[in-house]
Amino acid sequence: MLSSAAALAREPDDPGSGSDGPDASARPRDLRMAATGVAAWAGGLVALLVSGRGQAAVLAVAVAVLLLLVRSRRPSLARLAPAVVGWLLVAAAVAASAGLRGAAVADGPVARLAPMRPAVEARLVVTSDPRPLQGRYGERMLLRGDLTALAVRGQARSVRAPVLVVGDAAWADVELGSTLRVHGRLAPADDRDRAAVLTTAGHPEVLAAPSVWWRGAATVRASIRDAVSARDGPERALVPALVTGDDHDVPEQVQTDFRTSGLTHLLAVSGTNLTLVVGFLLLVGRWCGVRGRWQYLLGALGIVGFVLLARTEPSVVRAAAMGTVALLGLGGNGRDRGIRALGVAVTGLLLWDPWLAATVGFALSVLATAGILFLAPAWTAALGRWLPGWAAQAVAVPLAAQLVCTPVVAALSGQVSLVAVVANLLAAPLVAPATVLGLFGGLVGLVVPAAGLALGWLAGACAAGIVAVAHRSATLALPAVEWSTSAPSLALLTVLCAGLAVLLGPLLSRRSTGSACCLLLGAVVVVPLPSPGWPPDGWVLAACDVGQGDALAVRAGPGEAVVVDAGPDPALVDRCLDRLDVERVPLLVLTHFHADHVDGLAGVYAGRRVGEVDVTSVRDPAERATYVAGVAGETVTATYGSTRTVGDVTLQVLGPPPGVSAAGGPNNASVVLLVEVRGVRLLLTGDVEPEAQAALARAWPGLSVDVLKIPHHGSRFQDLDFLRGLHAGVAVASVGEGNDYGHPSAEVLDPLADAGARVFRTDHDGTVVVTAGDPPRVVTED
């Protein structure tokens, strides 16, 4: 909620701010309600994350502090005692609510049945839209729902239990708010707020359609998507994400760029969405003569409508609360009202749903709002001494929000974004028109489709600008720095952020130091920094850390490399090749056309001369093959058994073996390369599976290598006899951290290690580099 909350950052004595009065800046802030919110949050965290003994210890400390205050001879401390009693009661209420809800879920009949994994017939009320999930057994649909009736072995009972539903493709069209009869099997749930997981297949029976409110909201959401249907780029999916948080179709690459550039909040339902939508509604109301208390009613109706439009999930309700805080801060005495409203919102949300206390989205929303309320006004005033007011505010608001949220973001991503403030600054002017035009286009499109398309096209144009900002920011020399997620590292980062919060005001108040800070940050993110000792001397192979995918570089000479696969992310493969000082790619081999091997193709071309592009003969999936042709132009099909030399590199095509490529599918059709460079033999295997591996063993008996790129990211489906028979001294799995495919499998890594291989994996080791030697040496980035 950065751009929309800018008014919260106005200094109290700024003209036109609805000022608090001429001496408001000197008046102490009333933080009692803010402290109440902190107490509520602490109560929720203690109840959810601390054991029983720990809870007793926390209670004892709190009582001891209270007694010290009561007995204090200092009147100022003694007067705090009643407030502390109130805060303890609020914390206890949230903790009790968490305990009662947890008990209701964990001790209910559904949770008790789940460990037995019974087959059931159930009545289910759908509480979320289905979301596709690509797992190891194909695509599944995930959604949330409430069981209201359950029959096991012919015995029926009424229940009320939240569950996670896992269905097949037939569930893709299930409507939010509908009541279904389903047959499936219960299993224990990992989440504490779900009583069980219900796995089912086939079309569910609809007992009751969604109410008119849900149907109306679904119609508006569909109309918003139709309004931007004339756009072809990622902005077609971004506009619905901006308006309602519907980010299902946003391409993975765009999501990655948004994460790197600090713009992820735009893809989720946040206070920004509500503030823009309801703020626009209030503006229209003013144009129509709505004044006084009627504006409050209009705003309340707008908030209810937004929640229906974006769905009544906990994240949406949380976003609505934070957006309401921002709206309250837009009027007179805005900062004080905003602080009080933030405390009320946090307390109310946690009493309603205490499990929010331990969720990341809640933490980021509250921290960003608090940063804007507490830090941005002073920084706006400091910058305002040498910048125009609008510019000072535009810098201070995202800077305050980003600084306060940095430790939490680093804990999640392992990165500290350096471009987030600039990216938010550049994107902010486009967010409001894209959101409002997208909503207006959907509403108008219900009546006049042509007008809706015109408005949607304009919204898409603004969204395209946001996509460009995210992409340019993510591809800078140093958009983010890696940061350890260990407790000591995060504690250090928190201390550094707290220190910056104190020091930035005085630094920004002077033109010299403020300009120097901006120039230094700009230089760091734009100018590549030297990496001492990287790449290692004598390197011959680099398995780039590109997430869940493959991108390999084989050194062919000074500034040259043969690149095998491009990974899923252009920014990551571009960064890896930059750090390896690769300026020319005389040969690019794409082993097969799956997205995790080809979607980063543009990153290989970024600022480099690329020669021949070799591919497999199986153009599957067809849409990714078309994408490759669009980026690379003419390609050459790798010829089985052929050998060629590129600089220092000699390559021989060992696969796909004859008879496998036609029927074995895209993975088994992977181009397999035997590579020799400076005396080191490498086997680069793409994603070949057991069938193709067995064919390779038959076609090339006695094959042995120094380095093995483990097939298919270390999937457990391997021909272990073939892999162990290679006698590789080094084995590398290119794999993404936290992937849901189970890659790499211990069933593969352990046998390779037992056979004498040193096993490395990019999710733990970062980029893995092999250097020439006997035996070859391995250097890792992490």
Side-chain angles (χ1 to χ4, degrees):
M1 50 182 305
L2 303 181
S3 61
S4 60
L8 295 176
R10 290 178 179 142
E11 276 300 285
D13 55 353
D14 281 349
S17 66
S19 95
D20 300 338
D23 61 344
S25 59
R27 187 176 65 241
R29 299 291 173 186
D30 183 356
L31 301 180
R32 288 174 297 178
M33 203 60 232
T36 302
V38 172
W41 200 351
L45 290 174
V46 168
L48 296 172
L49 304 180
V50 179
S51 65
R53 290 184 178 179
Q55 292 174 5
V58 171
L59 179 60
V61 170
V63 171
V65 170
L66 179 60
L67 291 175
L68 288 174
L69 290 175
V70 171
R71 296 180 179 182
S72 174
R73 296 180 180 180
R74 298 180 60 180
S76 59
L77 292 178
R79 284 197 296 269
L80 277 177
V84 172
V85 171
W87 296 331
L88 288 176
L89 289 174
V90 168
V94 173
S97 176
L100 291 172
R101 291 192 58 170
V105 172
D107 299 333
V110 175
R112 291 198 299 269
L113 281 170
M116 294 181 281
R117 303 179 185 272
V120 300
E121 178 183 318
R123 185 168 67 240
L124 177 79
V125 178
V126 179
T127 58
S128 76
D129 286 322
R131 293 185 69 99
L133 176 67
Q134 188 66 44
R136 69 184 72 175
Y137 303 115
E139 186 175 81
R140 306 288 284 169
M141 305 303 300
L142 267 64
L143 57 93
R144 291 175 178 263
D146 289 334
L147 292 184
T148 59
L150 192 67
V152 182
R153 300 186 187 93
Q155 295 183 353
R157 69 177 76 182
S158 295
V159 296
R160 188 72 182 182
V163 296
L164 178 68
V165 181
V166 182
D168 56 18
W171 284 71
D173 297 326
V174 167
E175 295 181 290
L176 174 66
S178 56
T179 301
L180 312 174
R181 178 181 287 118
V182 298
H183 295 82
R185 188 173 296 276
L186 292 178
D190 293 330
D191 297 335
R192 70 180 79 199
D193 60 342
R194 300 286 109 182
V197 175
L198 175 63
T199 303
T200 183
H203 290 275
E205 179 185 352
V206 178
L207 299 178
S211 68
V212 64
W213 304 107
W214 287 126
R215 292 199 301 272
T219 300
V220 175
R221 289 197 297 271
S223 184
I224 292 170
R225 292 192 294 271
D226 292 341
V228 293
S229 60
R231 307 287 307 197
D232 294 328
E235 63 271 18
R236 179 175 179 173
L238 181 57
V239 170
L242 292 172
V243 180
T244 67
D246 182 8
D247 62 346
H248 293 183
D249 298 323
V250 177
E252 180 62 33
Q253 178 55 48
V254 174
Q255 296 189 41
T256 300
D257 288 345
F258 274 56
R259 283 193 295 270
T260 304
S261 58
L263 296 174
T264 307
H265 60 93
L266 298 179
L267 298 179
V269 179
S270 68
T272 300
N273 307 64
L274 179 132
T275 309
L276 291 172
V277 169
V278 179
F280 176 71
L281 178 64
L282 293 175
L283 182 62
V284 172
R286 279 188 172 274
W287 289 343
C288 297
V290 178
R291 294 290 188 274
R293 294 182 178 180
W294 292 105
Q295 282 254 308
Y296 289 102
L297 176 61
L298 183 61
L301 292 174
I303 292 169
V304 172
F306 171 81
V307 171
L308 287 173
L309 186 63
R311 311 158 195 85
T312 54
E313 298 181 19
S315 61
V316 176
V317 177
R318 177 255 302 161
M322 293 301 107
T324 303
V325 171
L327 288 171
L328 289 172
L330 298 181
N333 194 20
R335 187 183 181 195
D336 282 344
R337 290 174 59 182
I339 292 172
R340 291 195 297 271
L342 179 61
V344 172
V346 169
T347 304
L349 283 171
L350 293 175
L351 287 171
W352 169 70
D353 185 359
W355 281 321
L356 285 173
T359 62
V360 174
F362 178 80
L364 291 176
S365 289
V366 174
L367 290 174
T369 306
I372 293 169
L373 289 167
F374 286 96
L375 298 179
W379 292 355
T380 299
L383 287 166
R385 296 178 182 178
W386 56 280
L387 282 178
W390 62 268
Q393 192 176 96
V395 172
V397 169
L399 180 60
Q402 187 66 30
L403 182 68
V404 174
C405 292
T406 291
V408 177
V409 174
L412 292 174
S413 65
Q415 290 184 330
V416 175
S417 177
L418 299 179
V419 300
V421 174
V422 176
N424 276 282
L425 182 63
L426 295 175
L430 299 170
V431 173
T435 303
V436 172
L437 288 169
L439 174 63
F440 200 36
L443 295 173
V444 172
L446 294 172
V447 182
V448 186
L453 283 171
L455 292 168
W457 191 93
L458 293 174
C462 296
I466 299 172
V467 172
V469 168
H471 180 68
R472 294 294 185 185
S473 301
T475 54
L476 291 172
L478 191 63
V481 294
E482 303 297 323
W483 196 275
S484 170
T485 56
S486 66
S489 296
L490 294 175
L492 174 61
L493 181 60
T494 302
V495 171
L496 291 175
C497 290
L500 281 175
V502 174
L503 295 175
L504 272 179
L507 286 175
L508 296 175
S509 65
R510 298 180 180 86
R511 183 189 300 271
S512 57
T513 53
S515 301
C517 289
C518 295
L519 291 174
L520 177 62
L521 180 61
V524 166
V525 300
V526 174
V527 180
L529 298 179
S531 302
W534 194 272
D537 292 336
W539 75 275
V540 294
L541 170 71
C544 295
D545 181 11
V546 291
Q548 182 64 19
D550 275 9
L552 311 172
V554 183
R555 189 174 187 270
E560 291 189 344
V562 173
V563 174
V564 180
D565 287 326
D569 185 340
L572 294 180
V573 70
D574 180 32
R575 174 181 177 272
C576 181
L577 295 178
D578 276 346
R579 298 193 67 223
L580 295 169
D581 299 326
V582 174
E583 299 173 352
R584 297 175 300 281
V585 180
L587 175 64
L588 170 62
V589 181
L590 300 175
T591 61
H592 61 298
F593 290 102
H594 279 161
D596 57 335
H597 292 252
V598 303
D599 274 11
L601 185 59
V604 179
Y605 279 82
R608 296 177 193 88
R609 298 195 300 274
V610 180
E612 183 177 306
V613 179
D614 286 8
V615 298
T616 179
S617 60
V618 177
R619 266 57 172 178
D620 183 13
E623 68 275 8
R624 304 326 298 152
T626 301
Y627 163 75
V628 168
V631 176
E634 184 178 353
T635 60
V636 177
T637 300
T639 303
Y640 174 73
S642 62
T643 301
R644 66 188 301 180
T645 298
V646 180
D648 296 338
V649 180
T650 300
L651 308 97
Q652 184 176 11
V653 179
L654 303 189
V660 172
S661 60
N667 285 344
N668 280 329
S670 294
V671 176
V672 179
L673 297 174
L674 176 63
V675 178
E676 185 164 346
V677 51
R678 298 187 62 183
V680 180
R681 285 166 61 87
L682 321 168
L683 185 64
L684 310 183
T685 57
D687 279 358
V688 290
E689 295 181 341
E691 178 188 6
Q693 292 172 29
L696 286 169
R698 292 192 299 269
W700 306 94
L703 180 64
S704 65
V705 297
D706 299 303
V707 180
L708 166 68
K709 200 291 292 186
I710 302 174
H712 202 184
H713 320 292
S715 161
R716 65 188 181 93
F717 300 105
Q718 308 282 351
D719 185 332
L720 289 177
D721 290 338
F722 167 67
L723 298 184
R724 284 185 297 226
L726 296 170
H727 306 296
V730 174
V732 181
S734 185
V735 61
E737 184 176 9
N739 70 86
D740 56 7
Y741 300 100
H743 297 163
S745 171
E747 298 175 28
V748 178
L749 302 189
D750 291 346
L752 287 173
D754 293 341
R758 290 177 292 154
V759 179
F760 299 87
R761 43 194 290 182
T762 58
D763 58 338
H764 290 175
D765 302 312
T767 296
V768 178
V769 173
V770 179
T771 64
D774 187 16
R777 189 169 65 95
V778 177
V779 181
T780 63
E781 192 174 26
D782 291 350

